[in-house]
Amino acid sequence: MSGGLLVAGTTSDAGKSVVTAGICRWLVRQGVKVAPFKGQNMSLNSFVTREGAEIGRAQAMQAQAARVEPSALMNPVLLKPGSDQSSQVVLMGKPVGELSASGYHGGRQEALLGTVVDCLERLRGTYDAVICEGAGSPAEINLRRTDIVNMGIARAAKLPVVVVGDIDRGGVFASFFGTTALLSPEDQALVAGYIVNKFRGDVSLLEPGIDMLRGLTGRHTYGILPYAHGLGIDEEDGLRVSLRGAVRESVVAPPVGEDVLRVAVCAIPLMSNFTDVDALAAEPGVVVRFVDRPEELADADLVVVPGTRGTVRALEWLRERGLARELARRAAEGRPVLGICGGFQVLGEHIEDEVESRAGSVTGLGLLPVRVRFAPGKTLARPTGEALGEPVEGYEIHHGVAEVLGGEAFLDGCRVGAVWGTHWHGSLESDGFRRRFLETVASAAGRRFVPAPDTSFGALREEQLDRLGDLIEEHADTDALMRLIEQGAPAGLPFIAPGAPA
């Protein structure tokens, strides 16, 4: 078997990432050796593989769903926005430059198709099946000529395509029909059918629409997936963070001790790897929220300044909003603050940046004795260490090089009083360290909060991935999906007018 499938969507956030992960988990349960793939990803949430390559966190999550080690082959092109107009281009896990949107779509993207196809073929030579995720919508007719992630890769690799639509938004039938009808005859020939996502209610009420869609398009609906709370794991962007989402959408687990612990995360511009706080939200009695006003820090027991692709811009934003003043007040009062990566950098004394913002010399918040110099090369690493007497693992993704001039050592960063700073993402996923850290925070905040002794973030993540696999196994036509993966798109799929413009 050397099968494949492209999971496209009617829109961004239709559910492509989670459906792809669910199919991967379902297949691996069937004994299929499977890998995920996304030719081009635009996201500020990224991960570092063991070989030191940067890829989208969604693909790392999908690799975990497939029970395989993440690789740069699974996401050969990653775009990390630095503004509304430009992005850093990461090719095969390494940054190769900054390009405007017009520059990228004006020729660079099309030139990368060969690399993307080669990566996919290398995966298909190793695995029984490769489940590919598209981006946005395949019917972006203004971008079709240079497309390397939707129908461009489907055509090049002869992949069958299923289109996912979010029925919770409404208009799913029109979206399915319109998406198909805006594709060329050659592209339409690969669109085998549809998956309805986030359905609430009685499926029998939807069935007449499914039948009519089949009559209009000649295409099968491969599944009607019910709405499931808290499954937006490792989203590419937005604030539907995985386990935080689960906490917000369901009853917050009661605390083990007498108090809850309140965590405020500063929603800084170009926020990256905000998934760092998922592990905090997984703890019973920890309430996590994103904030952008100084008064929202007043009742917080811990304030987190997360990573960002725009450190100097984030620093300016914190000052403009009055949050910088509140952070300084908290530090003076001995109330906990944690800075991660870019958030760590803004807490320092001085930033020298001729790389990211090209702002030159900038004064930081001065809460930690750290000076940061931005280097042209990017640090990509998977460090391990110890803090608070517990083993810790993490990953680093940054251009800023920190010179620590004092304080207490903390995960290659430092701590002064109740202010902590580190470049390590993912450290809070280490269960023992997270518990000790929360105990320290609770003590400094004067809260009678006690971390649960048995919370395992890894086990919770596995439970979520199993739930995704269950959704596919229980609510999709798995026999038809398997045939599609093994045999490709059915022959003779009808053309739906008008097709793509000439």
Side-chain angles (χ1 to χ4, degrees):
M1 177 182 179
S2 181
L5 176 70
L6 176 70
V7 179
T10 55
T11 62
S12 295
D13 199 36
K16 298 182 293 292
S17 295
V18 294
V19 169
T20 299
I23 293 174
C24 286
R25 178 50 61 101
W26 161 65
L27 283 173
V28 79
R29 286 172 174 174
Q30 310 309 306
V32 177
K33 188 179 179 184
V34 59
F37 178 80
K38 186 163 185 171
Q40 173 199 293
N41 195 348
M42 177 174 279
S43 179
L44 288 172
N45 286 333
S46 58
F47 182 76
V48 179
T49 67
R50 293 207 180 277
E51 67 265 29
E54 184 179 8
I55 66 172
R57 268 200 71 104
Q59 280 61 66
M61 174 268 293
Q62 291 159 358
Q64 186 177 348
R67 296 178 180 149
V68 297
E69 190 66 33
S71 159
L73 293 174
M74 297 172 184
N75 179 206
V77 181
L78 173 63
L79 305 178
K80 303 194 73 175
S83 70
D84 293 337
Q85 300 296 324
S86 67
S87 294
Q88 183 182 68
V89 180
V90 179
L91 179 62
M92 296 303 296
K94 305 297 181 184
V96 294
E98 199 92 10
L99 277 180
S100 67
S102 60
Y104 183 69
H105 291 287
R108 181 63 187 270
Q109 181 183 34
E110 193 173 10
L112 293 172
L113 180 60
T115 299
V116 170
V117 172
D118 178 66
C119 290
L120 176 56
E121 290 308 308
R122 289 170 65 184
L123 288 173
R124 294 181 80 176
T126 304
Y127 294 90
D128 299 330
V130 179
I131 308 303
C132 308
E133 179 188 346
S137 162
E140 306 290 358
I141 54 178
N142 57 315
L143 303 176
R144 176 61 186 90
R145 182 181 62 82
T146 59
D147 171 49
I148 63 173
V149 66
N150 290 306
M151 300 314 299
I153 189 68
R155 284 268 292 278
K158 298 181 174 57
L159 291 172
V161 179
V162 292
V163 180
V164 177
D166 180 355
I167 197 170
D168 199 51
R169 294 182 173 188
V172 74
F173 293 117
S175 297
F176 284 146
F177 185 88
T179 296
T180 309
L182 277 177
L183 301 178
S184 69
E186 295 82 2
D187 287 350
Q188 286 194 26
L190 295 172
V191 177
Y194 313 105
I195 292 178
V196 177
N197 192 30
K198 298 184 182 178
F199 179 71
R200 306 174 192 247
D202 184 349
V203 172
S204 67
L205 299 177
L206 191 66
E207 288 171 350
I210 298 296
D211 293 340
M212 285 186 274
L213 183 67
R214 179 70 178 258
L216 287 166
T217 67
R219 287 162 170 84
H220 184 59
T221 295
Y222 287 84
I224 300 171
L225 309 183
Y227 192 102
H229 293 283
L231 288 182
I233 54 180
D234 286 4
E235 297 280 357
E236 291 177 357
D237 282 303
L239 289 180
R240 278 173 291 276
V241 187
S242 61
L243 295 170
R244 181 185 65 84
V247 167
R248 282 196 166 183
E249 293 175 2
S250 60
V251 177
V252 176
V256 175
E258 297 179 40
D259 287 345
V260 299
L261 206 65
R262 296 173 176 84
V263 179
V265 184
C266 297
I268 55 180
L270 297 174
M271 183 166 47
S272 62
N273 287 71
F274 48 76
T275 47
D276 283 331
V277 301
D278 283 1
L280 295 179
E283 286 285 348
V286 176
V287 181
V288 178
R289 66 184 188 275
F290 285 79
V291 304
D292 59 6
R293 297 190 302 269
E295 58 269 23
E296 293 178 297
L297 303 187
D299 67 343
D301 302 306
L302 169 67
V303 174
V304 177
V305 187
T308 174
R309 248 281 278 160
T311 298
V312 171
R313 181 175 168 187
L315 183 58
E316 293 169 349
W317 182 87
L318 289 168
R319 286 177 168 138
E320 290 167 359
R321 293 271 177 158
L323 289 160
R325 183 174 60 254
E326 289 303 310
L327 289 170
R329 182 178 300 170
R330 289 183 67 88
E333 295 172 353
R335 301 174 66 199
V337 176
L338 171 64
I340 302 174
C341 199
F344 165 43
Q345 294 166 7
V346 304
L347 298 180
E349 297 173 350
H350 185 81
I351 297 170
E352 194 70 34
D353 182 12
E354 299 292 350
V355 176
E356 189 176 77
S357 68
R358 296 181 174 85
S361 183
V362 178
T363 301
L365 298 185
L367 305 186
L368 290 174
V370 174
R371 299 177 70 86
V372 176
R373 175 184 55 82
F374 274 71
K378 180 184 281 190
T379 297
L380 297 169
R382 290 278 293 270
T384 60
E386 183 178 297
L388 302 180
E390 297 286 344
V392 188
E393 296 182 5
Y395 58 100
E396 294 184 65
I397 306 169
H398 53 91
H399 283 278
V401 178
E403 181 186 5
V404 178
L405 303 173
E408 178 184 341
F410 174 68
L411 299 179
D412 292 344
C414 66
R415 171 192 181 183
V416 174
V419 181
W420 316 64
T422 177
H423 271 134
W424 292 24
H425 294 290
S427 63
L428 294 166
E429 296 179 20
S430 298
D431 297 326
F433 165 70
R434 183 181 63 254
R435 285 192 275 271
R436 298 291 84 77
F437 178 71
L438 290 176
E439 287 173 353
T440 304
V441 167
S443 176
R447 294 283 185 187
R448 292 188 294 271
F449 168 85
V450 178
D454 55 356
T455 301
S456 167
F457 184 78
L460 289 171
R461 172 55 56 87
E462 278 296 304
E463 287 175 14
Q464 284 191 312
L465 294 173
D466 277 332
R467 288 178 64 200
L468 292 180
D470 293 343
L471 284 177
I472 298 299
E473 190 167 333
E474 297 169 10
H475 301 282
D477 185 344
T478 52
D479 290 340
L481 266 180
M482 189 68 84
R483 285 194 300 272
L484 192 62
I485 292 166
E486 291 177 338
Q487 302 171 14
L493 291 168
F495 171 70
I496 310 300

